[in-house]
Amino acid sequence: MLRRHPALAPSSQLTDYLLTTRTLQYIVVGLSFFVVVPLVTYTFYYPSFHSDICSWPSASRSPRDLRLLLFGDPQIRGADKSSSLRTRLDIFGNDHYLGHIYSTLLPRLRPSHVIVVGDLFSSQWISDEEFDLRTRRYKNRIFRHPSLYDTPTPVFLNLSGNHDIGYAHDVTDSRVRRFEKHFGQLNFVVTGDDFRIIGFNSMSLDGSLDDDDKGQASFTRDVRNFLEEQMKVNFIGTTILATHVPLHKQGGICIDQPYFTYYGEKSEQLIREQNMLSEESSQWLLNGFFGEGRARHGVIINGHDHDGCLVRHTMVKGEPRWNVAAIATGDTRYQYDYDNSDSSGVLEVTVRSMMGEYGGNVGLLKGTWNAAREDYIFTFSLCPFGKQHIWWATYVIAIICACASVIAFIGLPFLDEKTRGVFITGTMKPPILNCDPISHKSRNTIPVSPPTSGRQTPVNFFFSGGKAQKID
């Protein structure tokens, strides 16, 4: 029977050691199987767990179908020299959390268009250097080029939000220039065979035309002139209006209530903050694009209200006025068909924010081409990933398990072999030894000798310092 030197590893300690090692190995295996595997599976395949709302409708597909991925208010933050390590780590993790949502859905859904409905960044007051830094993070960490995912390149559209260029009275030439340099024009139109997407600077729409002290009036004139030109176009297809600020609604329809604040007196219309467009501007947009004598079917998409909302605007018969009503969908897909009396009117989709605290949401807007009617039937669903804690937990626990696996299956056995000593088995008459367990040295040493004749007793030797010490 092999035994160890009592001063180094008594049998009870060795047993405890072996139990501790095996226990750690069992814990690592159990944690990996019951925690890491489910977390990793959900994190990278979460659309499969929500297949009813995280996929396009299974109806027949046509090359003319529209497949829009809508991202609301990422509002990525920044750090400076005074920021703590925790803040920097949180920003780093948040970038990759948002990027994970995009990179998971893009190759899976292969959209025709990707639209970020404004508030790309968290503040319009940042310097040009910080704006450039966040732009690089936005493009390199979050919304990376589709070629990296081996998927067809969609049309990628970025709308300006109040945290990108400011509300009406805060919009300046420098803020507009730096936004348009990296993300394209504030006011634009993308036209297809049977549809058009019109994006515009909704922050300046309600601005004052007399607000010339810093040039804000020019932006208000620009957006109004642009929209008037598009209203005059004799377009018979489907119009999709893309705006950051939602249209006006009475209190209680959506989470956000009507809210407006101004610089100075209200009569000056120097807007400081607004939750939605004014009722006057909202009615003007609805009549101009969907009123009498125009194509009365289309969709309006926007963000700003982080909780999201889904409503339907219907025109009052015989009047150039529109009513609005909420659509209760729960966690299901909603189908909008303007020829159906239950869903007639204009659909307005306010996309719930993709920020972690709101659940990492993405809007899926599908326009299915109806060849018989030569127009689109739209469906919308909201696909949530979950709070950012899921992403953090997946990576942190996976790293811990990986480190624990190295220790349990490689490190501890390796250390055991190094500290166990070298044992041999021999036979000889047992002499009396005086061992000092404190100093770990034997006061009696014996040389290794051949077995003697007569009765032989098995003994063990521990080699130390070139001498063989008998182990009792």
Side-chain angles (χ1 to χ4, degrees):
M1 175 179 180
L2 280 177
R3 292 180 294 173
R4 297 190 63 177
H5 193 291
L8 293 178
S11 59
S12 61
Q13 294 182 6
L14 177 60
T15 302
D16 293 342
Y17 170 80
L18 293 174
L19 287 175
T20 302
T21 303
R22 290 192 177 184
T23 300
L24 180 59
Q25 292 174 345
Y26 290 147
I27 291 174
V28 170
V29 172
L31 191 62
S32 300
F33 186 79
F34 293 105
V35 179
V36 176
V37 172
L39 276 175
V40 170
T41 301
Y42 177 81
T43 298
F44 288 94
Y45 300 96
Y46 76 90
S48 298
F49 292 86
H50 309 286
S51 58
D52 55 332
I53 53 178
C54 292
S55 62
W56 305 119
S58 58
S60 59
R61 297 183 177 181
S62 166
R64 302 171 78 170
D65 288 351
L66 291 173
R67 301 180 305 278
L68 281 69
L69 282 187
L70 310 177
F71 296 88
D73 301 70
Q75 291 195 7
I76 64 173
R77 298 179 294 125
D80 53 32
K81 295 181 179 179
S82 63
S83 299
S84 65
L85 177 61
R86 179 180 177 180
T87 299
R88 295 175 183 273
L89 185 62
D90 181 62
I91 291 173
F92 175 84
N94 185 68
D95 285 356
H96 289 281
Y97 161 79
L98 298 176
H100 171 76
I101 296 172
Y102 175 71
S103 63
T104 300
L105 290 177
L106 184 69
R108 184 186 184 97
L109 298 179
R110 305 169 76 88
S112 60
H113 298 74
V114 174
I115 304 179
V116 184
V117 291
D119 275 5
L120 285 55
F121 304 148
S122 64
S123 175
Q124 70 271 32
W125 304 102
I126 58 178
S127 65
D128 291 344
E129 293 76 12
E130 177 64 20
F131 191 94
D132 292 339
L133 178 61
R134 296 193 194 187
T135 298
R136 289 195 294 272
R137 288 166 46 204
Y138 182 88
K139 294 182 178 182
N140 297 331
R141 289 183 182 176
I142 304 175
F143 297 104
R144 304 173 69 189
H145 196 276
S147 61
L148 298 173
Y149 307 110
D150 190 26
T151 184
T153 302
V155 178
F156 201 111
L157 305 173
N158 291 291
L159 297 178
S160 58
N162 56 286
H163 286 305
D164 304 317
I165 63 174
Y167 288 106
H169 188 63
D170 296 326
V171 180
T172 63
D173 286 326
S174 61
R175 289 173 182 162
V176 170
R177 280 198 304 270
R178 70 187 186 186
F179 183 90
E180 292 188 331
K181 174 184 175 182
H182 294 290
F183 301 109
Q185 298 295 313
L186 298 185
N187 307 307
F188 60 84
V189 57
V190 175
T191 304
D193 294 334
D194 308 290
F195 70 93
R196 61 175 177 171
I197 301 174
I198 300 175
F200 62 94
N201 170 22
S202 55
M203 277 65 63
S204 297
L205 188 59
D206 285 321
S208 173
L209 293 174
D210 298 326
D211 186 15
D212 283 322
D213 59 332
K214 293 191 294 181
Q216 283 85 354
S218 64
F219 299 111
T220 301
R221 283 192 288 268
D222 287 344
V223 66
R224 286 189 169 270
N225 290 338
F226 168 77
L227 291 171
E228 286 176 352
E229 290 177 4
Q230 298 305 317
M231 291 175 183
K232 293 176 183 178
V233 175
N234 185 23
F235 188 78
I236 60 175
T238 298
T239 295
I240 300 175
L241 283 185
T243 164
H244 176 64
V245 182
L247 272 61
H248 188 275
K249 306 167 191 65
Q250 296 80 16
I253 293 180
C254 297
I255 299 296
D256 275 359
Q257 305 295 310
Y259 178 76
F260 299 85
T261 61
Y262 304 86
Y263 290 100
E265 297 295 329
K266 180 178 178 179
S267 59
E268 295 179 9
Q269 295 294 298
L270 306 182
I271 293 179
R272 184 171 188 168
E273 188 176 0
Q274 61 184 135
N275 275 358
M276 55 190 68
L277 296 176
S278 66
E279 185 171 9
E280 178 185 4
S281 294
S282 300
Q283 294 289 329
W284 178 66
L285 287 171
L286 289 167
N287 283 316
F289 286 105
F290 309 108
E292 291 290 346
R294 304 183 183 277
R296 302 178 69 177
H297 56 287
V299 178
I300 302 171
I301 57 176
N302 47 56
H304 197 51
D305 182 350
H306 295 171
D307 292 287
C309 194
L310 195 63
V311 302
R312 184 170 65 249
H313 298 271
T314 54
M315 192 173 188
V316 178
K317 188 175 182 179
E319 299 182 34
R321 183 169 58 86
W322 295 72
N323 291 330
V324 58
I327 301 172
T329 62
D331 295 328
T332 60
R333 180 182 285 119
Y334 174 76
Q335 178 170 306
Y336 160 68
D337 183 353
Y338 76 95
D339 265 357
N340 186 325
S341 60
D342 293 331
S343 59
S344 61
V346 177
L347 177 69
E348 181 182 0
V349 176
T350 301
V351 184
R352 185 174 172 88
S353 173
M354 71 177 302
M355 290 188 285
E357 60 187 292
Y358 291 92
N361 300 276
V362 180
L364 278 63
L365 182 65
K366 169 75 179 295
T368 302
W369 178 252
N370 187 314
R373 298 186 334 203
E374 296 189 341
D375 58 26
Y376 290 99
I377 297 176
F378 284 94
T379 56
F380 175 77
S381 63
L382 199 64
C383 175
F385 166 63
K387 294 185 179 295
Q388 67 269 36
H389 307 99
I390 298 176
W391 184 89
W392 276 108
T394 299
Y395 281 90
V396 170
I397 295 178
I399 292 173
I400 291 174
C401 279
C403 295
S405 297
V406 172
I407 294 173
F409 293 96
I410 300 177
L412 290 180
F414 176 78
L415 292 175
D416 181 45
E417 291 295 333
K418 288 293 186 181
T419 59
R420 181 178 298 176
V422 181
F423 293 88
I424 65 170
T425 301
T427 57
M428 69 180 302
K429 294 180 180 180
I432 300 175
L433 295 178
N434 182 14
C435 293
D436 182 0
I438 298 179
S439 64
H440 293 179
K441 294 181 179 178
S442 173
R443 295 194 181 96
N444 301 316
T445 61
I446 59 173
V448 178
S449 58
T452 60
S453 59
R455 184 179 179 183
Q456 298 178 347
T457 304
V459 295
N460 297 317
F461 291 90
F462 172 76
F463 284 92
S464 176
K467 297 180 180 180
Q469 300 177 1
K470 182 173 181 293
I471 302 175
D472 190 9

